[in-house]
Amino acid sequence: MVSVIIPAYNADKTIRKCLEPLMSQDYAEEYEVIVVDDGSTDSTPHMVSEFNKVRLIKQENAGPAAARNKGAAEAEGEILLFTDADCVPEHNWISEMLKPFNENKEVFGVKGRYKTNQKEIVARFVQLEYEDKYSYMLKDKYIDFIDTYSGGFKKAVFLEMKGYDTEFPVACAEDVELSYRLSNRGYKMVFNPDAIVYHTHPNRLLDYLKKKYKFAFWRMLTLKKNPNKVTKDSHTPQIMKIQVLFPPVIFGSVVLAAIHRSFLFFFLLLLTLFVFTTLPFAFKAYKSDLTIGLFSPVLLFFRAVAHFLGVLGGTFYIIKQKMLKKFSIEKFKTEFKDFVNEKIKEFFR
């Protein structure tokens, strides 16, 4: 038995397209489809109820991590497959997701692949970003990163690990954190590029940059919980980490050049070095998409800026949470001490 779990929050624009191909998969054995409605205020529950073969579970709004965990807890399958409400699985998606589990009993997790049919420049760039990461992942036999858009786990292991961390309130990086935990425990995970779901990527630059900022922001919490993954993982090309360092020094050199022209050399040098780091991606992109190949250095710089700001924001968030927690503990200690002293005084009166 296999269980497909889809968290949904105000997904009435996409959920039908997600569920329709899941009703006609080429997988011949028994499987169930579960949609966990995360407190939607639109017509999502009504649309889901139109599919007789779909089990609808409702909960108060608690975030996608909690919704997936609820679906997993109530699932009947020994294998849990996850996708998102804005994804459209191919007709053989379930079969392809299960193939690595059947071929290798040591596999506990499987990651699938994104595709898109979009024509906008930004969306095409996003797809090539994913393709670049897929190429990076294929170098390793086992991986340490499974996205929720096309992910599968053995249920026993998923429940043992207590599922996704609900400290992540939004759909971002909770999948990375679980993957890192599984990897650190020695569970083997693999990438199957033939397990495909289609997705609508951001098609405007601002929307894309907001997404990159959010990803970098919450990745900091993930790395705080799994510090051994700071230096390397199977999903993030090392050059991306180097590129994040360029925006602050480039902008700093611009300020210095405005003060004194002699610093203009450093600005041009840093800019040249950054462009140099983009060439491997640009050449690869150029082979399949001429326009993206030409624009990629500029887009990669904007991405580096968004990532840098996200790293800053995420770092400040962690510091803030730590200070609030410390303040709360100190406040509790003070109030408790005052309470005990007062009771002692009352006792000896």
Side-chain angles (χ1 to χ4, degrees), residues 164-197:
Y164 293 103
D165 189 339
T166 55
E167 190 175 345
F168 294 83
V170 296
C172 192
E174 77 280 14
D175 47 3
V176 186
E177 198 282 327
L178 174 59
S179 302
Y180 286 173
R181 269 191 288 135
L182 286 164
S183 174
N184 289 334
R185 290 281 290 273
Y187 289 113
K188 292 180 173 61
M189 299 171 282
V190 298
F191 172 45
N192 181 7
D194 295 324
I196 297 168
V197 299

Side-chain angles (χ1 to χ4, degrees), residues 96-161:
E96 288 295 339
M97 287 296 293
L98 294 178
K99 190 177 293 185
F101 289 112
N102 297 328
E103 294 175 349
N104 185 351
K105 299 304 179 184
E106 293 186 341
V107 169
F108 287 89
V110 176
K111 168 186 166 58
R113 180 181 179 184
Y114 255 157
K115 275 191 176 183
T116 189
N117 292 316
Q118 295 167 272
K119 304 301 181 184
E120 299 90 350
I121 289 178
V122 172
R124 282 152 50 197
F125 171 75
V126 173
Q127 183 60 39
L128 286 176
E129 270 190 308
Y130 280 109
E131 298 299 334
D132 186 48
K133 291 178 180 179
Y134 296 154
S135 298
Y136 185 73
M137 298 185 84
L138 285 170
K139 296 177 182 178
D140 298 322
K141 181 177 181 181
Y142 297 112
I143 62 175
D144 59 8
F145 187 99
I146 295 180
D147 309 80
T148 58
Y149 63 76
S150 183
F153 303 96
K154 289 184 177 179
K155 181 181 178 181
V157 173
F158 184 88
L159 296 181
E160 175 195 331
M161 299 298 291

